[in-house]
Amino acid sequence: MKNLVIYFAALLMFTGCADGQSKNNNGDAFAPVPKPVAGQAVATFGGGCFWSMSEAMSELKGVSKVVSGYAGGKTKNPTYREVSSQNTGHAEVAQVYYDPKVISYATLAEAFFFAHDPTTLNRQGPDEGTDYRSIAFYRNDAEKNTLLSTIKKVNESRHYSNPIVTQVVPFTAFYAAENYHQGYYRTNGDNPYISSVSEPKVMKFRKAMKAELKPEFQK
């Protein structure tokens, strides 16, 4: 009973990523969407609130930049509030810019499945709704096959008690989120949502992907 009370208290305190943001931000202007430079590849993943997903993926060796944004829906240039309304079809995602000579797409895919819980439909912890769904985008058949084989591998490993429910869909468009969402995890450590929801996810990720992390995150 005590654990149940704590659980519901947490739900009341953290009603979702949308309500966990700071009142003070650095502007509602949209962040730019970088074009990949020569030798750079791009991957797009959604696994709940993009604050922790973006941080986790940015800690991997070979990843030079991660942009928080929206994908998977039809609305062009959606705002955070529009996506949170669940009327756009978009999910919160992290767009990853990486060097395939340092880290493979297969490793990124595996990291993605360890950076969140891919077994909960339209939900990550206190965050509930289609905008928080687990979704992975592929840009070619090779990436699609990699995602499907990784799902099979993780399911067979019994890493999670329940089967993965991640959507695997072709990439169509990515829209960068507002500036204040970029790097939010590192600049808002005093936010209760970050310390109580996001940080445990990142710590779990570091443990699972330690060998693939940049040196400063392997400690």
Side-chain angles (χ1 to χ4, degrees):
M1 176 62 73
K2 181 179 179 180
N3 289 338
L4 191 61
V5 171
I6 293 174
Y7 174 74
F8 282 110
L11 288 183
L12 290 174
M13 183 177 295
F14 306 113
T15 53
C17 182
D19 296 310
Q21 61 184 306
S22 170
K23 294 295 184 181
N24 299 314
N25 57 58
N26 62 352
D28 291 332
F30 292 108
V33 179
K35 291 183 178 180
V37 299
Q40 193 174 59
V42 183
T44 309
F45 304 103
C49 181
F50 45 25
W51 296 339
S52 58
M53 178 61 69
S54 293
E55 172 60 26
M57 301 305 275
S58 72
E59 295 183 359
L60 294 166
K61 290 182 289 188
V63 172
S64 58
K65 188 175 184 64
V66 179
V67 180
S68 294
Y70 317 111
K74 300 295 184 182
T75 302
K76 294 183 178 179
N77 301 309
T79 66
Y80 186 62
R81 287 300 174 186
E82 287 173 337
V83 173
S84 297
S85 75
Q86 300 182 51
N87 293 321
T88 67
H90 288 297
E92 293 190 17
V93 302
Q95 182 140 293
V96 183
Y97 294 76
Y98 68 101
D99 183 349
K101 293 182 178 178
V102 179
I103 187 169
S104 67
Y105 183 83
T107 300
L108 281 179
E110 183 176 3
F112 161 68
F113 287 111
F114 291 141
H116 73 301
D117 182 352
T119 70
T120 53
L121 185 64
N122 300 329
R123 184 180 193 123
Q124 287 295 306
D127 301 322
E128 186 174 8
T130 55
D131 48 325
Y132 298 117
R133 67 189 183 274
S134 178
I135 186 168
F137 299 87
Y138 60 85
R139 288 169 167 78
N140 52 55
D141 288 341
E143 291 184 353
K144 178 182 179 180
N145 292 335
T146 295
L147 289 168
L148 295 177
S149 63
T150 304
I151 289 174
K152 184 174 183 292
K153 175 183 175 182
V154 176
N155 277 335
E156 290 177 346
S157 74
R158 297 286 191 261
H159 180 82
Y160 296 104
S161 300
N162 298 312
I164 289 173
V165 296
T166 302
Q167 290 183 338
V168 176
V169 298
F171 176 83
T172 54
F174 168 80
Y175 301 99
E178 294 82 347
N179 282 318
Y180 68 91
H181 288 298
Q182 310 306 324
Y184 193 95
Y185 180 93
R186 298 191 189 185
T187 57
N188 292 271
D190 57 344
N191 184 318
Y193 181 94
I194 294 295
S195 59
S196 298
V197 180
S198 301
E199 187 174 356
K201 292 172 67 175
V202 173
M203 295 304 106
K204 177 177 175 290
F205 172 83
R206 288 180 182 176
K207 183 177 180 179
M209 298 299 297
K210 185 174 181 179
E212 303 298 335
L213 297 176
K214 293 169 183 171
E216 60 267 36
F217 301 111
Q218 290 184 356
K219 301 176 182 179

